[in-house]
Amino acid sequence: MALVIITASSPLVQNQTLVSSSQIFELGFFTPKGSAKQYIGIWYKKLTPSRVVWVANRDKPLGHTDQSASLIIGEDGNLKLLDGRQNTVWSPNVMAKSNYSEALLSDFGNFVLQDRNANIMWESFDEPTDTLLPNMKIGVNVKTGKKLNLTSWKGEDDPSFGSFVMGVTSEKPPQLFTWNGSSPYWRSGQWEKTKFIGIPTMTNTYYDIRQDNIQGTSYFYLNNYNNSIFGYTFISSEGSVKLAFWANGWLTSWKAPAPTNPCEIYGVCGPFGFCNPFGSPMCRCLKGFKPRSDEEWNRGNWTRGCLREMELNCQKPASAAASTTVEKDMFWQMRQIKLPDSADYLLIDNVEGCQSQCLENCSCLAFSYVNAIGCMAWSKDLLDTQQFSTDGEDLFIRLVDASVGADTGRFRKMTIPRLLRSEEPLRETSWKEQMKEDDASKLIVYDFDSIRLATDNFNVENKLGQGGFGPVYKGKLNNGKEIAAKRLSSSSGQGIAEFKNEILLISKLQHRNLVRLLGFCIEGEEKILVYEYLPNKSLDTFLFDSREKAKLSWGVRFHIIQGVARGLLYLHRDSCLRVIHRDLKVSNILLDEKMNPKISDFGLSRMFEGTQVLVNTHKVVGTFGYMSPEYAMGGIFSEKSDVYSFGVLLLEIISGKKNTSLDYPGQHLNLVAYAWHLWCEGRGLDLIDEAIADAFSVLEVTRCIQLGLLCTQDHAADRPNILAVVLMLNGESILSQPKQPTYTFSRLLAHEVQSQEGSIRSMNTITITTVEGR
Ligand SMILES: *[C@@H]1O[C@H](CO)[C@@H](O)[C@H](O)[C@H]1NC(C)=O
Ligand SMILES: *[C@@H]1O[C@H](CO)[C@@H](O)[C@H](O)[C@H]1NC(C)=O
């Protein structure tokens, strides 16, 4: 029997429940699976599998066999849970007594005790257990000292208090934290008005922090999406925070710490260390610091962190300081950083002021100026710092001049800040050097012998891949610089002058999402292009490897997708050349040490085909599975053929599967067809790679799948151009509905490729190069 209200005359007894007015939530007695104890709890009434979102008597369970317990309103107007012998087991112990009160459950899942005039005397939202519902809050009130935290269950079938707690800090700006007992376990990073610095991909479409400086409160809320979506955040008994949504089942869309990122465990690299999940080793000391114990550090025990290598100038005794002139400390800039814990907030509204305030105070070890926050400075150990591949903030670390020394390449991304140039004339030389290194407009002409030496005579052990235009080798030049040398197969048929001209044009294409051409070598028949070497090789080495693919969290994948789109936008629209890539595929997406994507092999098809417009040519450069129908069938190419390839790439990155792998359920010949099928059935999210299925953004993935389908439309006119693609990715433009593709092209070729993969196949008017790898 279901009650809608508990009053003095109608208590809740076993086998009864209290339901909310629209039947969304239900409250009653329950026994967790595998347990012999009974509790009063709240759960979703209609969504199965159901989930308990609140428990009253966590630490005071009723016996499993107690069949005459009841939840009553006592004579004093208080709520009471009575056991079979009429002992009070649990009560909110409301002080303000009322001679008439009633208890009911709201459609938001709030269990409320109110008086005759509907004044709330007590509510379950004020005593959260492990789950945060929309319309509920956790956080702190600095003035009253009151904290609202989530506390995990002890185990999956044990609602009693576990060891993990999730809450909001009272500092400015606030951070989300989870603690294991009293030790920090995970940290969101500082709140930056619309997102947390440490969770850049999750903006406040999911949640919000609301601060009231007068009341002294900082509260964290889950977005209620106008109450149109069911969702909750909770902390599991193993300490992970999860955000779940209802979509024909509970879908975890985000998890922290991320199981794929060991850097998210609080302070894993110790004081003055910083963590890069793609680094090897993953922990390093900050610039100017060294491991406290080399022996421990080399064993991979980073907990004790790092020490300063050289005393700061400001720490030196006054007499020593006087003997040297202008020896101020300086700041070392780190980019894309999850800022350390324990920042002090300074009331300064410009970056110069922030810097000089820090410089003048010797206790200040680092500062950061974030537009949405303001000035932050650190005077305690720099702890829990992480290197991101995308987003993140600039951190400036105080160092003595000499400890910076010569740049070691590994730190190339971190340059001496421009801010200090005027104050520190001594910096001039290193600035010039820095500029020289950054200026790649000068192409280097290498002689063949130096490339031969660098690659150990094109030793097969140094081979990075085999592309349509020739093999690529890793090399190390005399000066220690690593390179990737592409030895072009000599079929280009171009004269030397034309070739050089093409190379010069290609070298002008410079963008952070394009592989940088360093130089070239022409000697006799040999034509070699020399590129920057990227340590993480190509996307396919991660994406299609069952062990490596979990490292590509959704955040990293989305970052890669956005980078490739921006690189392509540059090629199509913004560069001086307007280049169509014509062979965009996963193996042509290279990754730097921070997993920034860089498109390779651009401009090469142009080089090989000259500048002629290929209409109905029989020679098609490209890779099966990525070619648009009009290009593969007729050789007609346009920007929209690249967009098609980008669409295939998008679906491959989401699913972790190759378009042509031919193992799709049902009659689907390729990934595009399979994705279309799932989309039509409203099961688009089933496409997601299993390796990341427990942590992704529903909104972003849904948007990317729809975009992937739009980009792979049969007719070029139905596909968006690359500018529209970039806007749609950023959520700045609305996506239209894709039409059903017909797949004549795929059907035509599927059986041919099955038997002839890896070879060059001629069919009537088409030549298709099906070379896998680079
Ligand atoms: C790491 O080093 C610390 C400090 O020396 C030590 O207490 C701890 O047990 C070590 N941890 C491991 C896993 O070896
Ligand atoms: C220097 O910084 C420390 C730590 O933030 C602070 O306590 C102290 O008041 C500062 N001193 C001055 C002179 O601003």
Side-chain angles (χ1 to χ4, degrees), residues 455 458-467 470-475 485 537 774:
T455 59
F458 303 101
N459 191 324
V460 70
E461 298 219 325
N462 289 326
K463 192 161 156 181
L464 293 170
Q466 170 75 45
V472 184
Y473 299 89
K474 181 184 173 179
K537 311 231 169 76
R774 207 154 356 145

Coordinates of all heavy atoms in Angstrom, one line a residue, residues 455 458-467 470-475 485 537 774:
T455 N 69.6 7.8 -39.1 CA 68.7 6.6 -39.1 C 69.4 5.3 -39.1 O 68.8 4.3 -39.4 CB 67.8 6.7 -40.4 OG1 68.6 6.7 -41.5 CG2 66.9 8.0 -40.4
F458 N 69.0 3.8 -42.5 CA 67.6 3.5 -42.7 C 67.4 2.0 -42.2 O 66.7 1.2 -42.8 CB 67.2 3.6 -44.2 CG 67.5 4.9 -44.8 CD1 68.6 5.2 -45.5 CD2 66.6 6.0 -44.5 CE1 68.8 6.5 -46.0 CE2 66.8 7.2 -45.0 CZ 67.9 7.5 -45.7
N459 N 67.9 1.8 -41.0 CA 67.8 0.6 -40.3 C 66.3 0.3 -40.1 O 65.5 1.1 -39.7 CB 68.5 0.6 -39.0 CG 68.6 -0.8 -38.3 OD1 67.7 -1.6 -38.5 ND2 69.7 -1.0 -37.7
V460 N 65.9 -1.0 -40.4 CA 64.5 -1.3 -40.3 C 64.0 -1.2 -38.8 O 62.8 -0.9 -38.6 CB 64.3 -2.8 -40.8 CG1 64.9 -3.8 -39.9 CG2 62.8 -3.0 -41.1
E461 N 64.9 -1.3 -37.9 CA 64.5 -1.1 -36.5 C 64.1 0.4 -36.2 O 63.4 0.6 -35.2 CB 65.7 -1.4 -35.6 CG 66.2 -2.8 -35.7 CD 66.6 -3.4 -34.4 OE1 67.1 -2.7 -33.6 OE2 66.4 -4.6 -34.2
N462 N 64.5 1.3 -37.0 CA 64.1 2.7 -36.8 C 62.9 3.1 -37.7 O 62.4 4.2 -37.7 CB 65.2 3.6 -37.2 CG 66.4 3.6 -36.2 OD1 66.1 3.4 -35.1 ND2 67.6 3.7 -36.7
K463 N 62.3 2.1 -38.4 CA 61.2 2.4 -39.2 C 59.9 2.7 -38.4 O 59.6 1.9 -37.5 CB 60.9 1.2 -40.1 CG 60.0 1.5 -41.3 CD 60.1 0.5 -42.4 CE 58.8 0.5 -43.2 NZ 58.9 -0.5 -44.3
L464 N 59.3 3.8 -38.6 CA 58.1 4.2 -37.8 C 56.9 3.7 -38.5 O 55.8 3.5 -37.9 CB 58.1 5.7 -37.6 CG 59.2 6.3 -36.7 CD1 59.1 7.8 -36.8 CD2 59.0 5.9 -35.3
G465 N 56.9 3.7 -39.8 CA 55.7 3.3 -40.6 C 56.0 3.3 -42.1 O 57.0 3.8 -42.5
Q466 N 55.0 2.9 -42.8 CA 55.1 2.8 -44.2 C 53.8 3.6 -44.8 O 52.7 3.1 -44.5 CB 55.1 1.4 -44.7 CG 54.9 1.2 -46.2 CD 56.2 1.5 -46.9 OE1 57.3 1.1 -46.5 NE2 56.1 2.3 -48.0
G467 N 54.0 4.7 -45.4 CA 52.9 5.4 -45.9 C 52.8 5.3 -47.4 O 53.6 4.6 -48.1
G470 N 55.9 6.5 -49.1 CA 57.2 6.0 -48.8 C 57.4 5.7 -47.3 O 56.5 6.2 -46.5
P471 N 58.4 5.0 -46.9 CA 58.6 4.7 -45.5 C 59.1 5.9 -44.6 O 59.7 6.8 -45.2 CB 59.7 3.6 -45.5 CG 60.4 3.8 -46.8 CD 59.5 4.4 -47.7
V472 N 58.8 5.8 -43.3 CA 59.3 6.9 -42.4 C 60.2 6.3 -41.4 O 59.9 5.2 -40.8 CB 58.0 7.5 -41.7 CG1 58.5 8.7 -40.8 CG2 57.0 8.0 -42.7
Y473 N 61.3 6.9 -41.1 CA 62.3 6.4 -40.1 C 62.5 7.4 -39.0 O 62.5 8.6 -39.2 CB 63.6 6.2 -40.8 CG 63.6 5.1 -41.9 CD1 63.3 5.5 -43.2 CD2 63.8 3.8 -41.6 CE1 63.2 4.6 -44.2 CE2 63.7 2.8 -42.6 CZ 63.4 3.2 -43.9 OH 63.3 2.3 -44.9
K474 N 62.7 6.9 -37.8 CA 63.1 7.7 -36.7 C 64.6 7.9 -36.8 O 65.3 7.0 -37.1 CB 62.8 7.1 -35.4 CG 63.1 7.9 -34.2 CD 62.9 7.2 -32.9 CE 63.4 8.1 -31.7 NZ 63.2 7.5 -30.4
G475 N 65.0 9.2 -36.5 CA 66.5 9.4 -36.6 C 66.9 10.3 -35.4 O 66.1 11.0 -34.8
A485 N 62.1 11.0 -40.6 CA 62.5 11.2 -42.0 C 61.7 10.3 -42.9 O 61.6 9.1 -42.8 CB 64.0 10.8 -42.2
K537 N 53.9 8.7 -31.3 CA 53.7 8.0 -32.6 C 52.3 8.4 -33.1 O 51.9 9.5 -33.0 CB 53.8 6.5 -32.5 CG 55.1 6.1 -31.8 CD 55.8 5.0 -32.7 CE 57.2 4.8 -32.1 NZ 57.3 4.0 -30.9
R774 N 51.3 3.9 -42.0 CA 51.7 5.2 -42.6 C 52.4 5.0 -44.0 O 53.1 4.0 -44.2 CB 52.7 5.9 -41.7 CG 52.6 7.3 -41.9 CD 52.9 8.1 -40.7 NE 53.2 7.2 -39.5 CZ 54.1 7.5 -38.6 NH1 54.9 8.6 -38.8 NH2 54.3 6.8 -37.6

